[in-house]
Amino acid sequence: MELVWHKGYEDYDDPAWQARKDRLTAAWKSVSLQQADGMDTEALLDHLELAEELMRHYTAVKDFRNLEPVMRSYESMLKLLRSRQPDRAGYWYLEMEYNRINAVLYLDQKSNRQAVGYFEQAIASGDRCYACLQSEAPQLGDEQRLYLAWACAECRGEMALACERMLDIAGMYQVLTGTAPILQYIESCLGDAYGIWEKAAGLYSQIGAACYQNNEFGKGDLHYGNAERMYDRLAEELDSDFCRAKGLWIYSLHGIDAFTRAGKAEVMLACEREVKAFLEGGAAGRDRAIAQGALGMSYMQHGVALQQSGDLKAAVPWTEQSVDLFGNAQEALEKDMESLENSMARGELSNIAARLYSSSVAAMDVLGVQYFASDRFPEARGVFEEALSMLTDSHGYTIAESASLLIRAECCEYLAMLAVEDGDRHKIDFYGTQAMDLGEEAARKSGNPAAWQIVVVSASLVSEVAEALKEKPKMGAAAARGLAACDELARLIPDSGILVMRGKLERREKKSRRRLF
């Protein structure tokens, strides 16, 4: 086995990689299926590793045209190897990668169920790889063990994202918590090598979040703590403000989970103090942007908590500050990205920028609701219109579809209610219909009761306007959609206050079926 962890891992901008890619391609093309059948097992394993490295590259850069012929040939040769039943870490790694790449391809096509099926096969192979790895450790070098162990952990992290897309929270929890022993192995046996700790810290934070979602707060604190500890050590050893900022980002996520799920404010408040001290210390560029984003998340949570307690006057300034922090952070980060030539570095900052963009839109939605509840209607309209514009054109950033649909639906719902204040029947109908469409789609994808509530309210508004304009078909259709949403909502939240609208919707639906209006 030749694959090892190294500094240039997946750095496809490095000229050395292009030279290696050319050598891999030539070596791969030089062997036919018939020749592969005549190879001994060791040689066949080595040859398949060449193809796997090419496949990983083509998948990462989404060069599917060149991926297809390599993958077809790889599959045929993998069958030859499989028939020899080699129970070795290297073989199970190749099986895992074949299934993982298939899963990633299905994810790219948004075929989530098929992707999860392949991921399940990949993880089964990965578990066998990890078991063999420990027994074969004396025969493998440290960097070989590191490569294999991280590949097993990374595969689980990718499957967790697929589960999250399908809202399979239980599946995501199971997959992520199964990753913890592999991360512990990487840390205890191999230590930090060429950035592996930073990748492991990212997975630890995902495990912490999953544990909090599962109401296992002690485990959540443990795994979040692992991530924070690793970033603290990296920041100290590398004297890196970038690592400090990313550690504060994870600390902020930890604090928000502890506050919102476990009712403990001390972690979030302690994080805020550290972030403020970091910003006051003169952090600049991307370091400052990430810290501002971390502070923005905490401030938005303050605003939400105060709103829920009924203190709107106190809530609004916190949410306004969070919107400003996210906006400033986004601008600074994008400037830094423009100056970077390395695609890996740009990709890392782009992922952070996407989170900031998504958080900014969420904060604007919260602020719009607070302005509306405070009778600050012109300001509410401006915020909702801007948030809706940002989601309609996300400037290339990928935002979680279920969250995007729900926020878009809520923006349209409130814009319809603002149109009621203005007496603008056309806008009530326009925004109300959009809110119904988006709310139904969000509800189907996420099962979130809030989405059905939006449909009920918007259906009531649209049917009321149609009744006033004596448009029976439109009134009946909107009322019927509202009643269907009431049924779904009653199943999820039987005592929802929104259900008081059922009576009006039933009356309009029946009225639409009468011959005379």
Side-chain angles (χ1 to χ4, degrees):
M1 167 152 182
E2 296 181 4
L3 293 174
V4 296
W5 185 271
H6 52 87
K7 284 184 178 178
Y9 180 68
E10 289 187 349
D11 184 358
Y12 297 131
D13 285 337
D14 190 332
W17 161 252
Q18 187 58 52
R20 178 168 176 75
K21 177 187 168 187
D22 292 342
R23 290 195 299 273
L24 290 171
T25 303
W28 175 251
K29 288 181 176 180
S30 68
V31 177
S32 68
L33 181 62
Q34 185 177 6
Q35 289 171 314
D37 194 22
M39 288 180 169
D40 62 30
T41 299
E42 193 68 36
L44 186 53
L45 271 167
D46 289 342
H47 186 67
L48 279 163
E49 284 175 11
L50 306 179
E52 185 279 326
E53 196 169 355
L54 283 173
M55 284 161 46
R56 178 182 277 267
H57 163 68
Y58 289 135
T59 304
V61 300
K62 297 191 175 184
D63 182 355
F64 301 132
R65 183 177 62 84
N66 281 311
L67 172 64
E68 185 182 359
V70 180
M71 201 156 182
R72 281 202 309 266
S73 178
Y74 180 91
E75 185 176 15
S76 299
M77 292 190 187
L78 186 60
K79 286 179 181 178
L80 287 178
L81 184 61
R82 190 182 299 140
S83 67
R84 303 180 189 183
Q85 301 180 326
D87 189 21
R88 296 172 51 179
Y91 162 70
W92 290 112
Y93 165 78
L94 295 172
E95 288 279 13
M96 178 185 72
E97 279 297 284
Y98 170 73
N99 287 301
R100 185 192 69 83
I101 289 171
N102 270 300
V104 170
L105 292 176
Y106 275 113
L107 271 185
D108 190 70
Q109 299 166 17
K110 300 190 184 302
S111 301
N112 296 331
R113 292 196 179 279
Q114 291 94 326
V116 167
Y118 273 106
F119 269 130
E120 286 172 346
Q121 294 179 64
I123 284 179
S125 297
D127 288 347
R128 189 64 205 145
C129 174
Y130 180 58
C132 290
L133 167 62
Q134 294 176 84
S135 62
E136 295 172 23
Q139 289 83 47
L140 297 171
D142 285 351
E143 290 186 337
Q144 289 175 320
R145 290 190 293 142
L146 183 56
Y147 188 100
L148 290 169
W150 174 249
C152 294
E154 184 181 43
C155 183
R156 282 181 166 273
E158 289 182 332
M159 181 174 176
L161 292 176
C163 290
E164 186 177 24
R165 279 194 191 182
M166 294 178 63
L167 302 170
D168 179 7
I169 303 304
M172 182 177 72
Y173 169 80
Q174 185 177 4
V175 170
L176 282 173
T177 51
T179 312
I182 306 175
L183 297 179
Q184 290 161 6
Y185 173 82
I186 289 171
E187 185 179 357
S188 63
C189 296
L190 305 172
D192 186 27
Y194 308 131
I196 192 68
W197 268 27
E198 189 170 340
K199 288 178 174 288
L203 266 178
Y204 267 133
S205 69
Q206 286 180 252
I207 301 169
C211 289
Y212 261 101
Q213 282 184 295
N214 204 47
N215 295 322
E216 294 184 330
F217 305 139
K219 286 185 179 179
D221 289 338
L222 171 67
H223 293 302
Y224 267 130
N226 285 335
E228 291 154 18
R229 172 180 51 77
M230 294 176 96
Y231 266 119
D232 285 346
R233 182 168 169 182
L234 284 172
E236 184 178 344
E237 290 183 355
L238 302 174
D239 191 22
S240 167
D241 277 348
F242 190 40
C243 286
R244 288 188 185 92
K246 287 189 284 188
L248 288 170
W249 179 282
I250 287 175
Y251 195 8
S252 180
L253 295 176
H254 182 187
I256 291 168
D257 268 344
F259 179 60
T260 58
R261 297 182 184 276
K264 299 184 296 184
E266 56 269 23
V267 180
M268 188 171 78
L269 295 174
C271 175
E272 284 180 18
R273 288 192 294 271
E274 286 200 28
V275 174
K276 288 176 182 176
F278 181 75
L279 291 171
E280 289 166 3
R286 61 183 184 178
D287 310 334
R288 186 174 188 82
I290 294 168
Q292 285 178 319
L295 193 59
M297 289 189 290
S298 288
Y299 279 13
M300 179 170 64
Q301 196 53 56
H302 277 294
V304 170
L306 287 165
Q307 178 188 347
Q308 290 172 342
S309 72
D311 193 347
L312 270 172
K313 187 176 180 180
V316 169
W318 284 100
T319 312
E320 287 175 332
Q321 287 184 80
S322 75
V323 170
D324 289 342
L325 283 164
F326 287 132
N328 292 337
Q330 185 80 34
E331 185 179 351
L333 207 59
E334 287 178 351
K335 282 182 180 177
D336 250 26
M337 286 165 59
E338 289 173 2
S339 64
L340 292 173
E341 296 182 358
N342 184 285
S343 64
M344 286 183 71
R346 281 199 312 273
E348 181 182 14
L349 289 191
S350 180
N351 289 335
I352 297 170
R355 293 184 193 178
L356 288 171
Y357 193 89
S358 180
S359 298
S360 180
V361 173
M364 292 174 72
D365 181 45
V366 171
L367 183 59
V369 172
Q370 291 173 355
Y371 281 156
F372 182 88
S374 305
D375 294 336
R376 296 167 63 173
F377 298 142
E379 291 164 290
R381 183 180 294 105
V383 170
F384 283 126
E385 287 176 347
E386 186 176 353
L388 198 57
S389 173
M390 288 174 71
L391 288 171
T392 304
D393 178 10
S394 60
H395 302 283
Y397 293 122
T398 300
I399 301 174
E401 186 179 18
S402 56
S404 173
L405 285 168
L406 188 61
I407 293 174
R408 287 169 64 196
E410 187 166 65
C411 287
C412 288
E413 175 197 22
Y414 273 90
L415 286 168
M417 289 192 287
L418 287 163
V420 172
E421 297 294 327
D422 297 337
D424 190 331
R425 288 176 173 174
H426 172 71
K427 283 189 176 180
I428 296 170
D429 178 63
F430 176 75
Y431 284 118
T433 301
Q434 283 198 63
M436 282 193 292
D437 293 343
L438 293 163
E440 286 172 343
E441 190 176 356
R444 283 193 296 269
K445 289 184 181 295
S446 70
N448 192 328
W452 290 122
Q453 290 177 339
I454 290 170
V455 177
V456 173
V457 172
S458 302
S460 180
L461 293 173
V462 172
S463 63
E464 184 178 0
V465 167
E467 183 179 28
L469 296 175
K470 297 186 178 181
E471 296 178 349
K472 285 176 65 176
K474 180 176 284 188
M475 178 182 72
R481 290 172 74 178
L483 289 170
C486 281
D487 291 339
E488 293 291 342
L489 191 56
R491 183 174 59 83
L492 296 168
I493 309 178
D495 58 348
S496 171
I498 297 293
L499 294 174
V500 299
M501 294 185 177
R502 182 190 286 275
K504 288 183 179 180
L505 291 167
E506 286 175 342
R507 179 183 63 78
R508 290 177 190 142
E509 198 277 330
K510 288 176 183 176
K511 188 175 180 180
S512 73
R513 289 187 271 115
R514 295 178 194 158
R515 290 189 178 182
L516 297 175
F517 208 94

